[in-house]
């Protein structure tokens, strides 16, 4: 798959949400734990050799599962290949938990679900859609079910008014991990 | 750089919500020919497929840090996705109609992770303030700026407008309305707690959230806010003599 590598490299140089030197093992036969500089920027996890400026690689963190691994480590796996895990070894339980929390919040899809939840909560409390005042209430990315348009049209979705009560996990089965 | 391409392909083709889809003409990198491709925008990733029913994308444009501009190209309804940096590629795309082009430019210029995070934080804070008893206030959204240099050609391209990842404004260019400028005031919040003596604010049934907004997991926040609901329910059941 082609992608704009230069821009991804530029992104890896942006200020990170979180960065640390931790042990990492890739899901390749015979691979061992290696010390890497791991850097979280938006929804990408970059990993560098500790003395190099360019990353070895990047993981897009959409539809992934972050799992605690004993001791003081965690793994990242992706929905379509749940047994293929990237392992990380932290220096303490505290550091480990901080990374797990940060990575679980780091996906675009997680933010989208949070936004829809808050939007609905505020609407229930005030009777008003909080996005209206910014003129963005019709944007597809803020709808509960985004349109699947035919051709080039983009159908306007009905707002959340009039829908049944929504709980934060009910509209995305599988909770934080996304769908299989 | 290695990239988890299989996972990207899955993200592109799974049935999670797409923010925009449609056919666009994409100008080739080295040649001037345009190729018709099926585009799918999800989050900050713009995938493109050979055709609508292709099983895997041909490629993806990672949109973080881009600006989206109209441009006068050989094709009608053309627009450009530009990145900062001297050797960055500019993607020239063309839609089939004016409305389609406008829809794409709008969707792409707000596709960044930062923008989504901004809106989430804004609503999170609004909800916090409401729970603390204050009225919801409308404040203009000001996005945090990532350090980005401008494209060498400047912001104006052939005198056409530039959409970049700035704070959203209303279509007529005015700033978002504040809640006390015209329009109906929001309805008073429903009574949530039993009033205490005098006019002092009602004591909270549960203490203020220990979480700073934006620093904890969504599920924890949800559980935490749920405590108040459970407490209210218990109270109600007790008052009805059912506990």
């Amino acid at each position: 798959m082609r992608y704009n590598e230069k821009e991804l490299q530029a992104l890896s140089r942006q200020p990170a949400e979180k960065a640390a030197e931790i042990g990492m093992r890739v899901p390749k036969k015979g691979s061992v734990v290696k010390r890497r500089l791991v850097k979280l920027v938006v929804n990408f996890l970059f990993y560098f050799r500790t003395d190099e400026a360019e990353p070895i690689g990047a993981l897009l963190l959409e539809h992934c599962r972050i799992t605690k691994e004993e001791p003081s480590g965690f793994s990242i796996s992706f929905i379509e290949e749940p047994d293929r895990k990237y392992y990380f070894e932290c220096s303490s339980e505290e550091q480990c938990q901080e990374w797990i929390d940060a990575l679980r919040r780091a996906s675009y899809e997680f933010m989208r679900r949070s936004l829809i939840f808050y939007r609905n909560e505020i609407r229930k409390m005030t009777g008003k859609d909080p996005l209206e005042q910014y003129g963005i209430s019709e944007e597809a990315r803020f709808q509960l079910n985004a349109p699947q348009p035919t051709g080039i049209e983009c159908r306007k979705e009905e707002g959340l008014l009039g829908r049944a009560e929504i709980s934060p996990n009910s509209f995305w089965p599988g909770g934080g991990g996304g769908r299989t | 750089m290695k990239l988890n391409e299989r996972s990207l392909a899955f993200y592109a083709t799974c049935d999670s919500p797409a923010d925009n889809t449609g056919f666009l003409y994409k100008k080739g990198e080295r040649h001037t020919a345009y190729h018709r491709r099926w585009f799918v925008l999800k989050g900050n990733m713009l995938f493109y497929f050979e055709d609508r029913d292709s099983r895997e994308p041909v490629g993806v444009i990672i949109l973080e840090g881009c600006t989206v501009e109209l441009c006068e190209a050989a094709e009608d309804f053309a627009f450009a996705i530009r990145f900062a940096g001297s050797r960055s590629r500019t993607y020239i795309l063309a839609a089939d109609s004016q409305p389609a082009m406008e829809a794409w430019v709008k969707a792409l210029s707000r596709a960044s992770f930062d923008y989504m995070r901004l809106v989430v934080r804004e609503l999170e804070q609004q909800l916090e303030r409401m729970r603390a008893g204050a009225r919801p206030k409308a404040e203009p959204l000001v996005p945090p700026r990532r350090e980005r240099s401008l494209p060498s050609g400047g912001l104006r391209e052939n005198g056409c407008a530039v959409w970049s990842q700035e704070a959203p404004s209303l279509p007529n260019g005015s700033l978002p309305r504040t809640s006390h400028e015209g329009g109906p005031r929001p309805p008073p919040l429903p009574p949530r707690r039993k009033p205490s003596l005098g006019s002092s604010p009602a004591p909270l049934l549960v203490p203020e959230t220990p979480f700073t907004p934006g620093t904890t997991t969504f599920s924890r926040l949800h559980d935490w806010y749920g405590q108040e609901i459970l407490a209210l329910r218990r109270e109600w059941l007790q008052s009805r003599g059912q506990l």
Side-chain angles (χ1 to χ4, degrees):
Chain A
M1 197 191 309
R2 281 183 244 145
Y3 68 97
N4 44 337
E5 186 162 9
K6 281 201 196 70
E7 279 70 47
L8 195 55
Q9 277 168 346
L11 194 61
S12 77
R13 295 190 282 269
Q14 293 291 318
E17 182 78 24
K18 215 166 169 49
E21 267 188 38
I22 57 184
M24 178 179 176
R25 179 159 65 88
V26 298
K28 198 170 134 183
K29 201 169 174 193
S31 74
V32 294
V33 175
K34 296 201 176 123
R35 200 135 185 88
R36 295 287 181 243
L37 173 62
V38 166
K39 199 171 165 186
L40 174 62
V41 182
V42 297
N43 50 349
F44 281 95
L45 188 68
F46 295 99
Y47 49 101
F48 303 70
R49 287 195 187 86
T50 51
D51 55 353
E52 287 179 3
E54 294 296 335
I56 307 168
L59 298 175
L60 175 71
L61 297 169
E62 300 296 334
H63 298 297
C64 65
R65 178 150 274 145
I66 317 293
T67 316
K68 178 89 172 63
E69 303 284 347
E70 297 309 326
S72 60
F74 62 90
S75 65
I76 302 176
S77 60
F78 295 90
I79 279 298
E80 80 283 358
E81 271 180 311
D83 298 325
R84 204 167 165 269
K85 291 182 168 185
Y86 293 81
Y87 283 94
F88 297 85
E89 287 180 3
C90 301
S91 51
S92 70
E93 283 293 343
E94 197 188 340
Q95 185 192 43
C96 183
Q97 196 54 50
E98 281 175 14
W99 272 99
I100 292 175
D101 288 346
L103 290 167
R104 283 187 180 147
R105 287 195 317 269
S107 74
Y108 194 99
E109 296 303 317
F110 173 83
M111 284 202 302
R112 193 204 304 274
R113 288 198 298 276
S114 306
L115 185 146
I116 292 171
F117 175 70
Y118 293 136
R119 180 186 187 184
N120 199 41
E121 287 299 298
I122 293 171
R123 189 195 51 77
K124 280 193 299 189
M125 286 178 80
T126 64
K128 263 182 85 176
D129 176 1
L131 296 184
E132 259 176 37
Q133 63 200 354
Y134 304 116
I136 53 177
S137 53
E138 296 303 311
E139 277 193 26
R141 60 177 56 86
F142 302 137
Q143 305 311 319
L144 185 52
N145 297 308
Q148 299 297 327
T150 55
I152 55 175
E153 290 178 68
C154 204
R155 250 189 1 254
K156 259 190 186 184
E157 274 300 308
E158 38 180 308
L160 291 172
L161 292 168
R163 286 186 189 257
E165 288 306 292
I166 301 160
S167 88
N169 289 315
S170 65
F171 51 80
W172 200 243
R179 296 170 74 120
T180 32
Chain B
M1 195 194 309
K2 293 198 201 106
L3 189 56
N4 52 330
E5 291 190 16
R6 266 203 296 261
S7 310
L8 251 88
F10 175 79
Y11 184 37
T13 53
C14 76
D15 50 3
S16 66
D19 299 320
N20 208 12
T21 64
F23 283 106
L24 289 170
Y25 293 92
K26 177 170 168 288
K27 196 170 178 202
E29 194 163 358
R30 262 167 282 151
H31 312 289
T32 51
Y34 281 79
H35 293 116
R36 191 170 185 252
R37 297 274 181 255
W38 176 254
F39 279 80
V40 173
L41 173 64
K42 282 193 185 181
N44 54 356
M45 313 291 282
L46 182 63
F47 297 97
Y48 51 100
F49 298 75
E50 178 103 21
D51 213 327
R52 189 168 175 181
D53 46 18
S54 304
R55 290 165 118 249
E56 246 191 49
V58 170
V60 62
I61 302 170
I62 299 162
L63 295 170
E64 210 63 33
C66 75
T67 54
V68 186
E69 307 169 3
L70 299 177
C71 67
E72 276 179 27
E75 294 287 313
D76 289 333
F77 317 122
F79 57 96
I81 300 175
R82 274 190 214 285
F83 294 91
S86 51
R87 284 173 308 156
S88 290
R89 184 186 162 176
T90 295
Y91 294 87
I92 310 279
L93 301 170
D96 278 328
S97 70
Q98 183 73 13
M101 183 204 68
E102 285 175 6
W104 273 108
V105 170
K106 203 162 118 182
L108 290 169
S109 59
R110 291 177 185 164
S112 72
F113 190 91
D114 281 342
Y115 173 79
M116 179 57 97
R117 183 158 52 189
L118 169 77
V119 182
V120 171
R121 281 199 180 140
E122 174 61 30
L123 292 194
E124 201 171 40
Q125 282 165 19
Q126 230 181 76
L127 192 58
E128 283 280 314
R129 284 197 298 268
M130 285 164 57
R131 296 231 176 225
R135 261 190 205 286
K137 274 189 283 216
E139 283 160 25
L141 294 178
V142 180
R145 298 284 308 180
R146 257 180 209 295
E147 249 182 56
R148 287 184 202 122
S149 50
L150 296 174
S152 53
L155 278 174
R156 296 243 156 227
E157 192 69 19
N158 297 319
C160 292
V162 171
W163 277 270
S164 64
Q165 284 153 357
E166 298 288 346
S169 56
L170 297 177
N172 60 9
S174 58
L175 287 171
R177 267 183 297 125
T178 57
S179 59
H180 36 268
E181 280 174 19
R185 304 192 66 132
L189 294 178
R192 294 173 59 78
R193 304 183 175 93
K194 293 207 194 79
S196 58
L197 293 169
S199 57
S200 58
L204 295 174
L205 285 175
V206 291
E208 280 293 352
T209 169
F211 306 130
T212 317
T215 63
T216 187
T217 63
F218 175 55
S219 56
R220 271 202 221 161
L221 266 175
H222 178 245
D223 288 342
W224 192 89
Y225 282 125
Q227 282 178 52
E228 191 179 335
I229 309 296
L230 293 173
L232 278 167
R233 182 170 164 74
R234 236 186 338 262
E235 229 182 58
W236 179 75
L237 285 173
Q238 267 172 346
S239 71
R240 294 186 51 135
Q242 287 174 356
L243 264 189

